[in-house]
Amino acid sequence: MDRFAARRCVVVNTLFIDAEALVIDKPAGLPVDRPKDGTPALADMVDDLRFGFARPPGIVHRLDRDTSGCLLLARNHGAHRRFSAAFANGDVKKTYLAVLEGVPGAEEGLIELALSKVSTAAQGWRIIPAKKGKPAVTRWSVLDVKDGRALVRFEPQTGRTHQLRVHAASGLGLPIVGDPTYGRGGPSMLLHAMRIVVPRHNKPAIDVEAPLPERFGAFAHG
């Protein structure tokens, strides 16, 4: 695992690199796109990710600002098109780990809860369960329990905005620890993109894992 210091002193780990792909371990708190509040964003730092190439890589997908873990970038336009198509077709497999504000009543299950975006002047936008919303499906299983909280593995079968956060809060009735929108908030949201698997036609699949961050406390050391 290589580490590099991007602009404005943001340190990021490189998990995978070859001629067409780059996977980084995005830190929690780093937005992917430029936010209105002017804080540093990954989009401002891609020039530091050239690693000898003439052009900076392109960001293929997004993680929430407070979510850490595997993020894929493409190192050329052709790769960007292929990777984007893989995401659109549902061929990319992603695994997340999260700590919930409580313990589910079962060991595993499947959440099928359609989602829709709403917006108000007072609260801004958020995602809510809605029968006429976009279909959203998540597999989940409990990995560990400590101090009345569960470490859960989420495997999203669809890629909706805030899907795991809303499925935890409304599907399981247990928000993710630290979630500022669908939970109690706190110093840090405990949601981590642990693994990404991206199929490739003429090369072995990209299969990368990002270690559980220190902010997960006892779960990170267990």
Side-chain angles (χ1 to χ4, degrees):
M1 183 186 300
D2 296 324
R3 296 170 65 87
F4 68 91
R7 298 180 187 183
R8 304 193 191 184
C9 299
V10 178
V11 178
V12 181
N13 291 329
T14 303
L15 302 173
F16 176 91
I17 187 169
D18 69 4
E20 65 178 18
L22 173 67
V23 180
I24 66 168
D25 187 355
K26 186 191 84 67
L30 176 66
V32 174
D33 297 314
R34 299 177 183 94
K36 294 180 180 179
D37 63 12
T39 56
L42 182 64
D44 299 315
M45 304 171 186
V46 291
D47 200 55
D48 298 316
L49 300 172
R50 295 185 185 211
F51 293 110
F53 275 35
R55 296 174 179 268
I59 300 168
V60 178
H61 64 119
R62 269 65 184 163
L63 293 176
D64 293 341
R65 179 177 187 153
D66 296 320
T67 302
S68 56
C70 296
L71 186 75
L72 174 68
L73 298 93
R75 303 192 75 196
N76 59 66
H77 294 308
H80 199 289
R81 288 194 298 271
R82 292 191 297 274
F83 296 152
S84 295
F87 273 93
N89 295 334
D91 297 329
V92 178
K93 306 302 180 186
K94 295 174 286 183
T95 303
Y96 293 76
L97 297 183
V99 179
L100 304 184
E101 291 279 14
V103 181
E107 291 296 314
E108 60 183 20
L110 184 72
I111 302 169
E112 297 180 272
L113 188 63
L115 304 174
S116 182
K117 184 177 180 179
V118 298
S119 180
T120 64
Q123 294 183 323
W125 70 270
R126 59 190 288 137
I127 304 298
I128 62 169
K131 291 182 179 180
K132 295 184 178 181
K134 295 180 179 179
V137 181
T138 304
R139 294 189 180 279
W140 64 274
S141 58
V142 176
L143 299 180
D144 198 3
V145 174
K146 295 182 186 296
D147 300 322
R149 290 174 168 175
L151 177 69
V152 172
R153 177 173 57 221
F154 285 121
E155 296 175 328
Q157 309 300 293
T158 52
R160 308 304 179 196
T161 300
H162 290 187
Q163 176 175 320
L164 301 183
R165 297 166 63 183
V166 180
H167 276 185
S170 297
L172 294 176
L174 298 169
I176 295 172
V177 171
D179 191 322
T181 304
Y182 309 103
R184 303 175 187 174
S188 183
M189 185 170 70
L190 300 187
L191 178 61
H192 180 65
M194 182 193 73
R195 185 183 182 194
I196 188 170
V197 181
V198 185
R200 299 193 284 186
H201 294 298
N202 300 318
K203 292 184 178 182
I206 300 167
D207 189 345
V208 182
E209 292 190 9
L212 202 57
E214 287 294 320
R215 73 181 193 279
F216 278 68
F219 290 110
H221 302 107

